[in-house]
Amino acid sequence: MGDVAVGARSGHDGEEHRGRPAESAVPAADSAVTSGSDSGAAEDGRVTDEHTTADDEGPGGPARTPKKPRSFWKELPILIGIALVLALLIKTFLVQAFSIPSDSMQNTLQQGDRVLVDKLTPWFGSEPERGEVVVFHDPDNWLAGEPTTDPNALQTFLSWIGLMPSAEEKDLIKRVVGVGGDTIECKGTGPLTVNGKALDERSYVYAGNTPCSADDQGGQFKVKLPEGYIWVMGDHRQNSRDSRYNQSDKNHGMVPVKDVVGRAVVVAWPINRWGTLPVPDTFDQSGLNAQPNAAGLPVAPQGIALLGVVPVVLWRRRKR
């Protein structure tokens, strides 16, 4: 059948094939198969433009023309926009960079260090714990008299998306030494006590400093914290204007938990100071969390769980 189709399209009434073997028409037939159409062979076996277009279209109609990929310069603004949105979301909900402006947290943090602050866990109801280094908004004009900087447009933009610390936000960074329900006390030069337990602060208090300051400006105190508040102190005890020296403000030196931005978890800059900011071991000592009339509480949940399991076991035995 292939030979007949080729002969019919040649327009020579088959005269050229008289007296020749049947195999002489094979090359023409092969050309037709290669083109993808038995009836699409042109004279002398060449494929016409019409048949090539038909092959591209296929049986289902016109084929889709491949889209020309966008140039890099057209995609660049889109990529930049996505990056900015991601940076803003990260700054708002996950992590933000802050700069250390003073020496009040030496030697844990040095002036000029950049720390990354975890802002995610507070969204899930987590509250500051003793020993954590936290960033918080100025509760009541603690930063009065401190010098302020005037950032340029680029610095303002970078701080807005979280790539630079903000110079306009009035934030402080200190260590939490007490939480709601705690009684904090300083007598003489120390040690600092929490709920009657003395803290061994040698691992983080600035060398040469005493845990408490023997002065009448606030270095001697005893406070009981209500729920929803924390007591903060700098690691450089004799060079830190913290809760001790702001007891005359509206919060009596305490920081509302709602003003806490997040926990500082990593020193990110400079490179030679990379490291984490863990909770010192002294805050894990036994008895620090002890509260009156709380001795029997750990047993109660176990008893409740046991009472809940017994009916289930009896029901399963009866069913069997």
Coordinates of all heavy atoms in Angstrom, one line a residue, residues 190-265:
G190 N 26.2 40.8 98.6 CA 25.6 39.5 98.0 C 25.9 38.3 98.9 O 26.5 38.5 100.0
P191 N 25.5 37.2 98.4 CA 25.0 36.9 97.1 C 23.6 37.3 96.9 O 22.8 37.5 97.9 CB 25.2 35.4 97.0 CG 25.0 34.9 98.4 CD 25.6 36.0 99.3
L192 N 23.2 37.3 95.6 CA 21.8 37.5 95.3 C 21.0 36.3 95.6 O 21.4 35.2 95.3 CB 21.6 37.8 93.8 CG 20.2 38.0 93.2 CD1 19.6 39.3 93.7 CD2 20.3 38.0 91.7
T193 N 19.8 36.4 96.3 CA 19.0 35.3 96.6 C 17.7 35.3 95.9 O 17.1 36.4 95.7 CB 18.8 35.2 98.1 OG1 18.0 36.3 98.6 CG2 20.1 35.1 98.9
V194 N 17.2 34.1 95.5 CA 15.9 34.0 94.9 C 15.2 32.9 95.6 O 15.6 31.8 95.8 CB 16.1 33.6 93.4 CG1 14.7 33.3 92.8 CG2 16.8 34.6 92.6
N195 N 14.0 33.3 96.2 CA 13.2 32.4 97.1 C 14.1 31.8 98.2 O 13.9 30.6 98.5 CB 12.6 31.3 96.2 CG 11.6 31.9 95.2 OD1 11.0 32.9 95.5 ND2 11.5 31.3 94.1
G196 N 15.0 32.6 98.7 CA 15.9 32.2 99.8 C 17.1 31.4 99.4 O 17.9 31.0 100.2
K197 N 17.2 31.1 98.1 CA 18.4 30.3 97.6 C 19.4 31.2 97.0 O 19.1 32.1 96.2 CB 17.9 29.3 96.5 CG 17.0 28.2 97.0 CD 17.8 27.2 97.8 CE 17.0 26.0 98.3 NZ 17.7 25.1 99.1
A198 N 20.7 31.1 97.5 CA 21.7 32.0 97.0 C 22.2 31.5 95.6 O 22.3 30.3 95.3 CB 22.9 31.9 97.9
L199 N 22.4 32.4 94.7 CA 22.9 32.1 93.4 C 24.4 32.3 93.3 O 25.0 33.2 93.7 CB 22.2 33.1 92.3 CG 20.7 33.1 92.2 CD1 20.3 34.1 91.1 CD2 20.2 31.7 91.9
D200 N 25.0 31.3 92.6 CA 26.4 31.3 92.4 C 26.6 31.9 91.0 O 26.4 31.2 89.9 CB 27.0 29.9 92.4 CG 28.6 29.9 92.2 OD1 29.1 31.0 91.9 OD2 29.2 28.9 92.2
E201 N 26.9 33.2 90.9 CA 26.9 33.9 89.6 C 28.3 34.2 89.0 O 28.5 35.0 88.2 CB 26.2 35.3 89.8 CG 24.7 35.1 90.3 CD 24.0 36.4 90.4 OE1 24.3 37.2 91.3 OE2 23.2 36.7 89.4
R202 N 29.3 33.5 89.5 CA 30.6 33.7 89.1 C 30.9 33.4 87.6 O 31.8 34.0 87.0 CB 31.6 32.9 89.9 CG 31.8 33.3 91.4 CD 32.6 32.3 92.1 NE 32.0 31.0 92.3 CZ 32.5 30.0 92.9 NH1 33.7 30.1 93.5 NH2 31.9 28.8 93.0
S203 N 30.0 32.6 87.0 CA 30.2 32.2 85.6 C 29.8 33.4 84.6 O 30.2 33.3 83.5 CB 29.5 31.0 85.3 OG 28.1 31.2 85.4
Y204 N 29.1 34.3 85.1 CA 28.6 35.4 84.2 C 28.7 36.8 84.7 O 28.7 37.7 83.9 CB 27.2 35.1 83.7 CG 26.1 35.0 84.8 CD1 25.5 36.1 85.3 CD2 25.8 33.7 85.4 CE1 24.5 36.0 86.3 CE2 24.9 33.6 86.4 CZ 24.2 34.7 86.9 OH 23.3 34.6 87.9
V205 N 28.8 37.0 86.0 CA 29.0 38.4 86.5 C 30.4 38.8 86.2 O 31.4 38.1 86.3 CB 28.7 38.4 88.0 CG1 29.2 39.7 88.6 CG2 27.2 38.2 88.3
Y206 N 30.5 40.1 85.8 CA 31.7 40.7 85.4 C 32.8 40.5 86.4 O 32.5 40.8 87.6 CB 31.5 42.2 85.1 CG 32.7 42.9 84.5 CD1 33.1 42.7 83.2 CD2 33.4 43.9 85.3 CE1 34.2 43.4 82.7 CE2 34.5 44.5 84.8 CZ 34.9 44.3 83.5 OH 35.9 45.0 83.0
A207 N 34.0 40.1 86.0 CA 35.1 39.9 87.0 C 35.4 41.1 87.8 O 35.5 42.2 87.2 CB 36.3 39.4 86.2
G208 N 35.5 41.0 89.1 CA 35.7 42.1 90.0 C 34.5 42.7 90.5 O 34.6 43.5 91.5
N209 N 33.3 42.4 90.0 CA 32.1 42.9 90.5 C 31.5 42.0 91.6 O 31.8 40.8 91.6 CB 31.0 43.0 89.4 CG 31.1 44.3 88.5 OD1 30.2 44.6 87.8 ND2 32.3 45.0 88.6
T210 N 30.7 42.6 92.5 CA 30.0 41.9 93.5 C 28.6 41.7 93.0 O 28.1 42.5 92.3 CB 30.0 42.6 94.8 OG1 29.5 43.9 94.7 CG2 31.4 42.6 95.4
P211 N 27.9 40.6 93.3 CA 26.6 40.3 92.9 C 25.6 41.4 93.3 O 24.7 41.7 92.5 CB 26.2 39.0 93.5 CG 27.5 38.3 93.8 CD 28.5 39.4 94.1
C212 N 25.8 42.0 94.4 CA 24.9 43.1 94.9 C 25.8 44.3 95.1 O 27.0 44.2 95.4 CB 24.2 42.7 96.2 SG 23.1 41.3 96.0
S213 N 25.2 45.5 95.1 CA 25.9 46.8 95.2 C 25.5 47.4 96.6 O 24.4 47.5 96.9 CB 25.6 47.8 94.1 OG 25.9 47.2 92.9
A214 N 26.6 47.7 97.4 CA 26.3 48.2 98.7 C 26.2 49.7 98.6 O 27.1 50.5 98.8 CB 27.5 47.9 99.7
D215 N 25.0 50.2 98.2 CA 24.7 51.6 98.1 C 23.2 51.8 98.5 O 22.5 50.9 98.8 CB 24.9 52.1 96.7 CG 24.1 51.4 95.6 OD1 22.9 51.2 95.9 OD2 24.7 51.0 94.6
D216 N 22.9 53.1 98.6 CA 21.5 53.4 99.0 C 20.7 53.9 97.8 O 19.7 54.6 98.0 CB 21.5 54.5 100.1 CG 22.3 55.7 99.7 OD1 22.8 55.8 98.6 OD2 22.3 56.7 100.5
Q217 N 21.1 53.6 96.6 CA 20.4 54.1 95.4 C 19.5 53.0 94.9 O 18.8 53.2 93.9 CB 21.4 54.5 94.4 CG 22.5 55.5 94.8 CD 21.8 56.8 95.3 OE1 20.9 57.3 94.6 NE2 22.3 57.3 96.4
G218 N 19.5 51.8 95.4 CA 18.7 50.7 94.9 C 19.5 49.4 95.0 O 18.9 48.3 94.7
G219 N 20.8 49.4 95.3 CA 21.6 48.2 95.3 C 21.1 47.3 96.4 O 21.4 46.1 96.4
Q220 N 20.5 47.8 97.5 CA 20.0 46.9 98.5 C 18.4 46.9 98.4 O 17.8 47.9 98.5 CB 20.4 47.5 99.9 CG 21.9 47.8 100.1 CD 22.7 46.4 100.1 OE1 22.6 45.7 101.1 NE2 23.4 46.2 99.1
F221 N 17.9 45.7 98.3 CA 16.5 45.6 98.0 C 15.9 44.2 98.4 O 16.7 43.2 98.5 CB 16.1 45.9 96.6 CG 16.8 44.9 95.6 CD1 16.1 43.7 95.3 CD2 18.0 45.1 95.1 CE1 16.7 42.8 94.4 CE2 18.6 44.1 94.2 CZ 17.9 43.0 93.9
K222 N 14.6 44.1 98.5 CA 13.9 42.9 98.7 C 12.5 43.1 98.1 O 11.8 44.0 98.5 CB 13.8 42.5 100.1 CG 13.1 41.1 100.3 CD 13.0 40.7 101.8 CE 12.3 39.3 101.9 NZ 12.2 38.9 103.3
V223 N 12.2 42.4 97.0 CA 11.0 42.6 96.3 C 10.3 41.2 96.0 O 11.0 40.2 95.8 CB 11.2 43.3 94.9 CG1 11.7 44.7 95.1 CG2 12.1 42.5 94.0
K224 N 9.0 41.2 96.0 CA 8.3 40.0 95.6 C 7.5 40.4 94.3 O 6.8 41.4 94.3 CB 7.3 39.6 96.7 CG 6.5 38.4 96.3 CD 5.6 37.9 97.5 CE 4.8 36.7 97.1 NZ 5.6 35.5 96.7
L225 N 7.7 39.6 93.3 CA 7.2 39.9 92.0 C 5.8 39.3 91.8 O 5.6 38.1 92.1 CB 8.1 39.3 90.9 CG 9.6 39.7 90.9 CD1 10.4 39.0 89.8 CD2 9.7 41.2 90.6
P226 N 4.9 40.1 91.4 CA 3.5 39.6 91.0 C 3.6 38.9 89.7 O 4.6 39.0 88.9 CB 2.7 40.9 90.9 CG 3.7 42.0 90.5 CD 5.0 41.6 91.2
E227 N 2.6 38.1 89.4 CA 2.5 37.4 88.1 C 2.5 38.4 87.0 O 1.9 39.4 87.1 CB 1.3 36.5 88.1 CG 1.3 35.3 89.1 CD 2.5 34.4 88.8 OE1 2.9 34.2 87.7 OE2 2.9 33.8 89.8
G228 N 3.2 38.0 85.9 CA 3.2 38.9 84.7 C 4.3 39.9 84.7 O 4.4 40.7 83.8
Y229 N 5.3 39.7 85.7 CA 6.4 40.7 85.7 C 7.7 39.9 85.9 O 7.7 38.8 86.4 CB 6.2 41.7 86.9 CG 5.1 42.7 86.6 CD1 3.8 42.4 87.0 CD2 5.4 43.9 86.0 CE1 2.8 43.3 86.7 CE2 4.4 44.9 85.8 CZ 3.1 44.6 86.2 OH 2.1 45.5 85.9
I230 N 8.8 40.5 85.5 CA 10.1 39.9 85.7 C 11.1 40.9 86.3 O 10.8 42.2 86.2 CB 10.7 39.4 84.4 CG1 10.9 40.5 83.4 CG2 9.9 38.2 83.8 CD1 11.6 40.1 82.1
W231 N 12.1 40.5 86.9 CA 13.2 41.3 87.5 C 14.4 41.1 86.7 O 14.9 39.9 86.6 CB 13.4 41.0 89.0 CG 14.2 42.0 89.8 CD1 15.6 41.9 90.0 CD2 13.8 43.2 90.4 NE1 16.0 42.9 90.7 CE2 15.0 43.7 91.0 CE3 12.6 43.8 90.5 CZ2 14.9 44.9 91.7 CZ3 12.6 45.0 91.2 CH2 13.7 45.6 91.8
V232 N 15.1 42.2 86.2 CA 16.2 42.0 85.4 C 17.4 42.7 85.9 O 17.3 43.8 86.6 CB 15.9 42.5 83.9 CG1 14.8 41.7 83.3 CG2 15.6 44.0 83.9
M233 N 18.6 42.2 85.7 CA 19.9 42.8 86.1 C 20.9 42.6 85.1 O 20.9 41.6 84.4 CB 20.3 42.2 87.5 CG 19.3 42.5 88.6 SD 19.8 41.6 90.2 CE 21.2 42.6 90.7
G234 N 21.8 43.5 84.9 CA 22.9 43.4 84.0 C 24.0 42.6 84.6 O 24.2 42.5 85.8
D235 N 24.8 41.9 83.8 CA 25.9 41.1 84.2 C 27.1 41.9 84.8 O 27.9 41.5 85.6 CB 26.4 40.1 83.1 CG 25.4 39.0 82.8 OD1 24.4 38.9 83.6 OD2 25.6 38.3 81.8
H236 N 27.2 43.1 84.3 CA 28.2 44.1 84.8 C 27.5 44.9 85.9 O 27.0 46.0 85.7 CB 28.7 45.0 83.7 CG 29.9 45.7 84.0 ND1 30.7 46.3 83.1 CD2 30.5 46.0 85.2 CE1 31.8 46.9 83.7 NE2 31.7 46.7 85.0
R237 N 27.4 44.3 87.1 CA 26.5 44.7 88.1 C 26.8 46.2 88.6 O 25.9 46.9 88.9 CB 26.6 43.8 89.3 CG 26.1 42.4 89.1 CD 24.5 42.5 88.9 NE 24.0 41.3 88.3 CZ 23.7 40.1 88.9 NH1 24.0 40.0 90.1 NH2 23.3 39.1 88.1
Q238 N 28.0 46.6 88.6 CA 28.3 47.9 89.0 C 28.3 49.0 87.9 O 28.7 50.1 88.0 CB 29.7 48.0 89.7 CG 29.6 47.7 91.2 CD 29.4 46.2 91.5 OE1 30.2 45.4 91.1 NE2 28.3 45.9 92.2
N239 N 27.8 48.5 86.7 CA 27.7 49.4 85.6 C 26.4 49.1 84.8 O 26.4 49.0 83.5 CB 28.9 49.3 84.7 CG 29.0 50.3 83.6 OD1 28.4 51.4 83.7 ND2 29.7 50.0 82.5
S240 N 25.3 48.9 85.5 CA 24.1 48.6 84.8 C 22.9 49.3 85.5 O 22.6 49.1 86.7 CB 23.8 47.1 84.8 OG 22.6 46.7 84.3
R241 N 22.2 50.1 84.7 CA 21.0 50.7 85.2 C 19.8 49.8 84.9 O 19.1 49.9 83.9 CB 20.8 52.1 84.6 CG 19.6 52.9 85.1 CD 19.5 54.3 84.6 NE 18.3 55.0 85.0 CZ 18.2 55.5 86.2 NH1 19.2 55.5 87.1 NH2 17.0 56.1 86.6
D242 N 19.5 48.9 85.9 CA 18.5 47.9 85.6 C 17.3 48.0 86.6 O 17.1 49.1 87.1 CB 19.2 46.5 85.7 CG 20.1 46.3 86.9 OD1 19.7 46.8 88.0 OD2 21.2 45.8 86.8
S243 N 16.7 46.9 87.0 CA 15.5 47.0 87.8 C 15.8 47.6 89.2 O 15.0 48.3 89.7 CB 15.0 45.5 88.1 OG 14.4 45.0 86.9
R244 N 17.0 47.4 89.7 CA 17.4 48.0 91.0 C 17.3 49.5 91.0 O 16.8 50.0 92.0 CB 18.9 47.6 91.3 CG 19.1 46.1 91.4 CD 20.6 45.8 91.5 NE 21.3 46.2 90.3 CZ 22.6 46.2 90.1 NH1 23.4 45.9 91.1 NH2 23.1 46.5 88.9
Y245 N 17.7 50.1 90.0 CA 17.8 51.6 90.0 C 16.6 52.3 89.3 O 16.7 53.4 88.9 CB 19.1 52.0 89.3 CG 20.3 51.4 90.1 CD1 21.0 50.4 89.6 CD2 20.6 51.9 91.3 CE1 22.1 49.8 90.3 CE2 21.7 51.4 92.1 CZ 22.4 50.3 91.5 OH 23.4 49.8 92.3
N246 N 15.5 51.5 89.1 CA 14.3 52.1 88.5 C 13.1 51.7 89.3 O 12.0 51.7 88.8 CB 14.1 51.5 87.1 CG 15.1 52.1 86.1 OD1 14.9 53.3 85.6 ND2 16.1 51.4 85.7
Q247 N 13.3 51.6 90.6 CA 12.2 51.2 91.5 C 11.2 52.4 91.8 O 10.2 52.1 92.3 CB 12.7 50.7 92.8 CG 13.5 49.4 92.7 CD 14.0 48.8 94.0 OE1 13.1 48.4 94.8 NE2 15.3 48.7 94.2
S248 N 11.6 53.5 91.3 CA 10.7 54.7 91.5 C 9.8 54.9 90.3 O 8.9 55.8 90.3 CB 11.5 56.0 91.7 OG 12.3 56.2 90.6
D249 N 9.9 54.0 89.2 CA 9.0 54.2 88.1 C 7.6 53.5 88.4 O 7.4 53.0 89.5 CB 9.6 53.6 86.8 CG 9.7 52.0 86.8 OD1 9.2 51.4 87.8 OD2 10.2 51.5 85.9
K250 N 6.7 53.6 87.4 CA 5.4 53.1 87.6 C 5.3 51.6 87.9 O 4.3 51.1 88.5 CB 4.5 53.5 86.4 CG 4.9 52.8 85.1 CD 4.0 53.2 84.0 CE 4.3 52.4 82.7 NZ 3.5 52.8 81.6
N251 N 6.3 50.9 87.5 CA 6.3 49.4 87.7 C 7.2 49.0 88.8 O 7.4 47.8 89.1 CB 6.7 48.7 86.4 CG 5.8 48.9 85.2 OD1 4.6 48.8 85.3 ND2 6.4 49.3 84.1
H252 N 7.8 50.0 89.6 CA 8.6 49.7 90.7 C 9.9 48.9 90.3 O 10.3 48.0 91.1 CB 7.9 49.0 91.8 CG 6.6 49.7 92.2 ND1 6.6 51.0 92.9 CD2 5.3 49.4 92.1 CE1 5.4 51.3 93.1 NE2 4.6 50.4 92.6
G253 N 10.4 49.2 89.1 CA 11.6 48.5 88.6 C 11.3 47.2 87.9 O 12.2 46.6 87.3
M254 N 10.1 46.7 88.0 CA 9.8 45.4 87.4 C 9.4 45.6 85.9 O 9.0 46.7 85.5 CB 8.6 44.7 88.1 CG 8.9 44.3 89.5 SD 7.5 43.7 90.4 CE 6.7 45.3 90.9
V255 N 9.6 44.6 85.1 CA 9.4 44.7 83.6 C 8.1 43.8 83.3 O 8.1 42.6 83.6 CB 10.6 44.2 82.8 CG1 10.3 44.2 81.3 CG2 11.8 45.0 83.1
P256 N 7.1 44.4 82.7 CA 5.9 43.6 82.3 C 6.3 42.6 81.3 O 7.1 42.9 80.3 CB 5.0 44.7 81.8 CG 5.4 46.0 82.4 CD 6.9 45.9 82.5
V257 N 5.8 41.4 81.4 CA 6.1 40.3 80.4 C 5.7 40.8 79.0 O 6.3 40.4 78.0 CB 5.5 39.0 80.9 CG1 5.6 38.0 79.7 CG2 6.1 38.5 82.1
K258 N 4.6 41.5 79.0 CA 4.1 42.0 77.6 C 5.1 42.9 76.9 O 5.0 43.0 75.7 CB 2.8 42.7 77.8 CG 2.8 44.0 78.6 CD 1.5 44.6 78.7 CE 1.5 45.9 79.5 NZ 2.4 47.0 78.9
D259 N 6.0 43.5 77.6 CA 7.0 44.3 77.0 C 8.3 43.6 76.5 O 9.2 44.2 75.9 CB 7.5 45.4 77.9 CG 6.4 46.5 78.2 OD1 5.5 46.6 77.3 OD2 6.5 47.2 79.2
V260 N 8.3 42.3 76.7 CA 9.5 41.5 76.3 C 9.4 41.2 74.8 O 8.4 40.6 74.4 CB 9.6 40.2 77.2 CG1 10.7 39.3 76.7 CG2 9.8 40.5 78.6
V261 N 10.4 41.5 74.1 CA 10.5 41.2 72.7 C 10.8 39.8 72.4 O 10.2 39.1 71.6 CB 11.5 42.1 72.0 CG1 11.6 41.8 70.5 CG2 11.1 43.6 72.2
G262 N 11.8 39.2 73.1 CA 12.2 37.9 72.9 C 13.5 37.6 73.7 O 14.1 38.4 74.3
R263 N 13.9 36.3 73.5 CA 15.1 35.9 74.2 C 16.3 36.0 73.2 O 16.2 35.5 72.1 CB 14.9 34.4 74.7 CG 16.2 33.9 75.3 CD 16.1 32.4 75.6 NE 17.4 31.8 76.0 CZ 17.6 30.6 76.3 NH1 16.6 29.7 76.1 NH2 18.8 30.2 76.7
A264 N 17.4 36.5 73.7 CA 18.6 36.5 72.9 C 19.2 35.2 73.0 O 19.5 34.6 74.0 CB 19.6 37.6 73.4
V265 N 19.4 34.5 71.8 CA 19.9 33.1 71.8 C 21.3 33.0 71.2 O 22.0 32.0 71.5 CB 18.9 32.3 71.0 CG1 17.6 32.1 71.8 CG2 18.6 32.8 69.6

